[in-house]
Amino acid sequence: MTVPNSKNTITVLLADDHPTTRAGIRAILQGTPDIQVVGEAENGFQVQGMVAELHPNILLLDLVMPGPTPAQLEKWVRANFPETITLVLTAHDRDAYLASMMDVGASGFLSKTETGERIVSAIRRAASGASLFTEEQFERARRWKQAAGEKWQTLTEREREIVRLLVEGYDNKEIAQQLNIVPKTTAFHITNILKKLEVKSRHEAIAWVHKYLPDNLE
């Protein structure tokens, strides 16, 4: 970790669990005089500690890391350090992630396939207060919410727990044991889940999850 040398410097915290990826992004940013990498985090807990300690201007956040989910992290940042702006930089360019990060307050959603020049430009624009979401991204998020997000939000937390266990391959009896409920209650919940997701079987429900939801979406 380093201390920024100038008030005009845009300070950046890199958050990615792949050292090679962090090294590549750092190499791009090190050649830019007005941007300084002040820290690198490899999991969500380190992100929280470093944001609290370093107060970076920009959090450059990957979406798949150990620790809190991306949405949980961004909610925490917005609540505790609103001066830090979050830009997502990820290889996981899925509509569910895009919609989720829009909703919790991120300022942009970039693919790791972007050129170094575009990443630098995005950091500068975000630091100046601009939102980087495009009309195409807003439309993608809208379509995902209409097709899946609204249905997912109708599920109770217990129903979501059961969906996750279904995806992991548990049967009704095993789900009941995991949640300390009786199998009849499990069956009742699954019936409600199928209705809410508008699918006809547990197998279709599992397929629906694989199609629409990342593993760590809240």
Side-chain angles (χ1 to χ4, degrees):
M1 293 181 289
T2 58
V3 177
N5 297 317
S6 169
K7 291 182 179 179
N8 296 322
T9 299
I10 301 169
T11 57
V12 176
L13 172 63
L14 301 181
D16 195 299
D17 63 340
H18 292 96
T20 303
T21 300
R22 295 199 308 273
I25 298 170
R26 185 174 64 248
I28 292 170
L29 301 183
Q30 280 178 337
T32 308
D34 59 331
I35 298 175
Q36 184 172 13
V37 176
V38 293
E40 298 182 28
E42 61 183 21
N43 62 61
F45 299 111
Q46 288 182 356
V47 169
Q48 290 176 316
M50 290 184 179
V51 168
E53 178 184 355
L54 300 170
H55 302 272
N57 301 126
I58 301 291
L59 167 61
L60 205 56
L61 179 67
D62 186 30
L63 291 180
V64 180
M65 295 188 300
T69 69
Q72 289 170 339
L73 277 176
E74 179 58 4
K75 287 177 183 177
W76 179 86
V77 171
R78 296 275 62 76
N80 295 282
F81 301 95
E83 69 278 8
T84 292
I85 297 165
T86 299
L87 288 180
V88 174
L89 182 63
T90 185
H92 302 274
D93 187 13
R94 297 184 61 178
D95 293 349
Y97 279 133
L98 172 63
S100 175
M101 295 309 291
M102 276 184 179
D103 286 346
V104 294
S107 291
F109 193 95
L110 309 173
S111 169
K112 287 181 179 177
T113 61
E114 296 282 5
T115 65
E117 182 179 344
R118 291 187 60 132
I119 292 172
V120 168
S121 174
I123 289 172
R124 288 172 174 157
R125 289 170 57 204
S128 71
S131 172
L132 276 61
F133 291 112
T134 66
E135 289 300 320
E136 184 264 344
Q137 286 178 324
F138 282 118
E139 179 60 18
R140 283 174 51 196
R142 185 195 67 77
R143 288 197 306 263
W144 179 83
K145 289 179 180 180
Q146 188 174 50
E150 293 172 1
K151 293 178 184 177
W152 182 248
Q153 292 300 323
T154 65
L155 300 186
T156 66
E157 185 54 42
R158 174 48 57 89
E159 288 168 349
R160 293 183 196 182
E161 288 178 321
I162 290 173
V163 169
R164 295 183 182 108
L165 292 172
L166 285 173
V167 171
E168 291 175 16
Y170 289 88
D171 62 25
N172 285 23
K173 183 178 179 181
E174 291 167 333
I175 291 172
Q177 291 173 341
Q178 287 284 322
L179 301 180
N180 196 29
I181 58 179
V182 298
K184 184 176 180 180
T185 301
T186 301
F188 172 79
H189 283 307
I190 290 175
T191 297
N192 285 339
I193 290 166
L194 299 184
K195 289 179 180 178
K196 290 179 179 181
L197 298 185
E198 298 181 2
V199 295
K200 296 179 180 179
S201 69
R202 61 198 296 137
H203 300 294
E204 287 189 12
I206 292 168
W208 186 95
V209 170
H210 285 309
K211 179 178 180 179
Y212 289 114
L213 298 180
D215 292 339
N216 62 350
L217 188 70
E218 290 186 297

